[in-house]
Structures are given as C-alpha cells and as structure tokens.
Amino acid sequence: MDEKKRKRVNMLTLAFGIAFMPPIWAVLSPYLGVSTGAVALICAGLYVANGNKRKDALKIAVGFLCGDLWAVLAVWIMETLPFHPNVELYGTLFVLGGLAVLIGESLPKWIFVPSWLCGWAIGLTIMGPLPVAELGSLPIQIGVAMIAGVVYVGIGVDALQKWLVKKILPESR
C-alpha cells in the first residue's frame, strides 16, 4: 500500500471523526445540564497527546477529576485566606501544585499527573473568578465534560477512525 495514500486516508478519517462526533456532544451537552461542554475537547486533546492509549483512559479521567476537585479546593482556600490576593494565589498554587505531583506520582497506576494539572487549570479558569457560594453544579458539569472528553471524544473518535480505515483500506486489518 502506498504510504501517501495511507496518510491521506488517516487524515481524512480523522477529519471526519472530529467533524462528526464533537459537535454531537456540543449540541447535546446543554440538554444534559452541562454548560462547560468545550472542556471535553481540551481533555480529548490530552488523551490523544498521550497516544490514544485506552489502557491509560481511566487514570487520565481520574487525573482530570482530581484536578477538578483541586480547583474547587483552591478557590475555597483563596477565598478563606486573609492575605493579599497575589500572596494567596502564589501560596495556593505552590502548595497544591506540589501536593498534586507528590500524590499523583505516588499513585501512577491510578492517576495521570498531566491530566490532574490540566484539569486543575481548566477548573481554575472556569471557577476561579467565582466565590465558592456561586459554584453550584459547575464542578460536576466540568467533571462530566472531562469524562466525555476522554471517553466519547478521545476513545470514540479513535475507534471511529480505526473502523473507517479498515473499511477503506481492507489490507490494513
């Protein structure tokens, strides 16, 4: 099989998968009560950057959920501390960042540290400007979008692409 043709088929099937599946999530997520649907695309990106390794999907998802929890904790800590906001921010990021790495690297079978840190950044970006009393269901919505990113967008698009490639290039089975 011509390598150029194989690359073109891989590119076109990936383009179709990305064009087809994430928009379904974007349309349906608000009906599921998830206003943070775009988070799924960020999380799928990290899953793909890790090589589409299904064996890592659970620990990537757990890492994202740890990051989501970490963001809530950080918002609460910064709201509670009586110092200058810059001191609170630095101190909170210093302590929680260090702890995330220490905990995550101690449990590598269960937690993917890059997804913890990425999930924490996502959560802080969305929830950081809000007081804890106004977070409501945002942490749950973010968590649902994170899992959808790994499972539906990440694993789903990869599975669809592989299926399409096998249909188009039968010799690649």
Side-chain angles (χ1 to χ4, degrees):
M1 157 92 8
D2 179 303
E3 185 61 29
K4 190 174 179 181
K5 180 178 179 184
R6 180 178 304 284
K7 282 186 175 186
R8 177 155 309 256
V9 168
N10 280 323
M11 177 187 65
L12 292 173
T13 55
L14 177 60
F16 176 76
I18 293 296
F20 176 67
M21 292 183 68
I24 293 171
W25 168 252
V27 169
L28 294 181
S29 62
Y31 293 103
L32 301 172
V34 177
S35 65
T36 58
V39 166
L41 296 176
I42 300 167
C43 297
L46 186 66
Y47 173 81
V48 171
N50 188 53
N52 285 319
K53 298 177 192 166
R54 289 188 189 181
K55 67 179 177 62
D56 290 346
L58 177 62
K59 69 181 185 177
I60 290 171
V62 169
F64 279 130
L65 295 177
C66 288
D68 190 25
L69 175 65
W70 231 229
V72 173
L73 182 60
V75 170
W76 178 79
I77 289 170
M78 289 185 289
E79 186 175 299
T80 305
L81 292 175
F83 307 114
H84 186 278
N86 290 339
V87 173
E88 293 174 2
L89 177 63
Y90 181 84
T92 302
L93 296 179
F94 181 94
V95 172
L96 291 183
L99 283 173
V101 172
L102 292 173
I103 295 167
E105 289 297 325
S106 298
L107 301 167
K109 183 178 178 181
W110 299 105
I111 300 170
F112 188 59
V113 173
S115 63
W116 186 335
L117 298 175
C118 184
W120 184 27
I122 292 166
L124 281 177
T125 299
I126 297 169
M127 295 182 281
L130 301 172
V132 172
E134 292 179 20
L135 295 181
S137 66
L138 267 177
I140 294 168
Q141 292 179 53
I142 293 167
V144 168
M146 289 172 166
I147 292 169
V150 173
V151 176
Y152 174 72
V153 180
I155 294 172
V157 169
D158 185 49
L160 175 63
Q161 181 190 18
K162 286 177 179 168
W163 180 80
L164 289 170
V165 168
K166 283 182 182 178
K167 293 293 180 193
I168 296 167
L169 302 173
E171 67 276 358
S172 68
R173 290 181 189 169

